[in-house]
Amino acid sequence: MGDLPVALLVILVTTSVSVLLGLIGLFLEKGYEAKLAGREAALGAFLILDLDTVPGMAPTAGQLVSGNVVMGTGYLKQFAASLRNLVGGEIKGYQRVLDLARREAQLRMVEAAVALGAQAIVNVRFETSDVGGAKPFSEVFCYGTMVK
Amino acid sequence: MLLVNTETIPGHTIVEARGLVSGNTIRAKNLGRDIGAGFKNLVGGELTGYTELLNESRQEATDRMIANAMAMQANAIVNVRFTTSAIAGGAAELYAYGTAVVVKPNA
């Protein structure tokens, strides 16, 4: 008889903690995205191509540049994804995280190129991979050749 | 050692192609970083421990590729490609490969 209220209490506590963590995660994500947008704006319109050369440009130097990031999705998003997986369809939470990760990796590559005095980056490639292990962490790796 | 992922290096001419070179690393995850990442993953966001780990590993794979190219007396590597694959047991293999060439700068 005393077990039922305890069980309900446990369920209530774990649910509220999960929701709280999720809300904290959402709040942190919004702050992070604002900073990311700020850094992207600071760079201005930097030319990134996945062509071999910049049409009409005759560069005199080139070098490999890259950027990478590993993003965790957060517990609440993982739970939401497992629910979504029951019915199928787009997992918006994961999509958002990977989108941010891709922007971050690309931004790091561009920042590395700008530090070298580049005018553009050609032959840009993206790679997303599972880091390995039980948890769903993804690494986004972005690389290209900076030219000037 | 000059590295690019294009077929040619701007401002240089390829004199000779020496062959395919590659370097790889298999990096198992670090228990301490994994626990830290587990905590961070409660809220989500960047896992800096893992980012650094993979960055170092990729650099090591690249350094091995460069060492192979130097052994061939090449002075540049073109068409560099990277691959990453998760290997069973919580490890990841990072592989870098390219064509080792001898280049000379355009006058």
Side-chain angles (χ1 to χ4, degrees):
Chain A
M1 193 53 198
D3 281 340
L4 189 57
V6 174
L8 284 173
L9 190 66
V10 167
I11 292 172
L12 187 67
V13 169
T14 43
T15 314
S16 4
V17 167
S18 311
V19 169
L20 187 68
L21 286 173
L23 288 171
I24 293 172
L26 260 154
F27 177 72
L28 289 172
E29 195 182 280
K30 285 231 176 343
Y32 169 69
E33 205 196 343
K35 274 194 233 147
L36 188 64
R39 283 159 66 201
E40 284 173 342
L43 280 172
F46 192 85
L47 195 61
I48 302 169
L49 304 172
D50 76 345
L51 303 174
D52 225 28
T53 54
V54 181
M57 179 181 169
T60 53
Q63 195 181 308
L64 193 71
V65 285
S66 65
N68 77 326
V69 70
V70 178
M71 283 279 195
T73 47
Y75 177 68
L76 198 62
K77 285 198 191 189
Q78 282 164 31
F79 180 66
S82 64
L83 289 179
R84 170 58 76 181
N85 210 24
L86 293 172
V87 294
E90 196 180 353
I91 305 175
K92 292 214 168 68
Y94 278 15
Q95 185 176 316
R96 199 165 152 65
V97 170
L98 276 173
D99 187 50
L100 287 173
R102 232 186 311 275
R103 281 167 65 185
E104 177 70 45
Q106 185 178 308
L107 197 60
R108 287 181 184 179
M109 178 186 70
V110 172
E111 284 170 351
V114 166
L116 292 168
Q119 289 175 277
I121 309 178
V122 295
N123 237 3
V124 172
R125 304 272 179 261
F126 288 89
E127 204 188 83
T128 310
S129 33
D130 183 16
V131 171
K135 303 203 181 71
F137 301 150
S138 300
E139 187 209 19
V140 179
F141 179 54
C142 180
Y143 63 106
T145 301
M146 75 89 181
V147 288
K148 59 175 178 179
Chain B
M1 173 80 55
L2 204 52
L3 261 68
V4 289
N5 80 330
T6 45
E7 265 188 26
T8 54
I9 304 176
H12 294 74
T13 313
I14 297 180
V15 168
E16 192 191 338
R18 284 278 155 89
L20 200 67
V21 283
S22 63
N24 76 333
T25 319
I26 298 187
R27 189 57 74 109
K29 58 185 164 64
N30 178 307
L31 186 65
R33 292 194 218 219
D34 199 43
I35 293 172
F39 277 115
K40 185 71 194 291
N41 196 39
L42 290 174
V43 288
E46 191 191 343
L47 306 166
T48 47
Y50 266 108
T51 305
E52 274 168 32
L53 183 68
L54 284 166
N55 220 7
E56 284 164 18
S57 309
R58 197 170 279 114
Q59 191 55 52
E60 197 179 316
T62 311
D63 289 341
R64 287 178 185 177
M65 179 179 66
I66 291 172
N68 285 340
M70 282 205 250
M72 285 182 174
Q73 276 91 48
N75 62 356
I77 309 178
V78 296
N79 243 358
V80 173
R81 306 202 199 294
F82 294 91
T83 74
T84 313
S85 9
I87 297 187
E93 190 214 21
L94 291 127
Y95 186 58
Y97 62 103
T99 306
V101 294
V102 177
V103 296
K104 65 172 174 63
N106 296 339

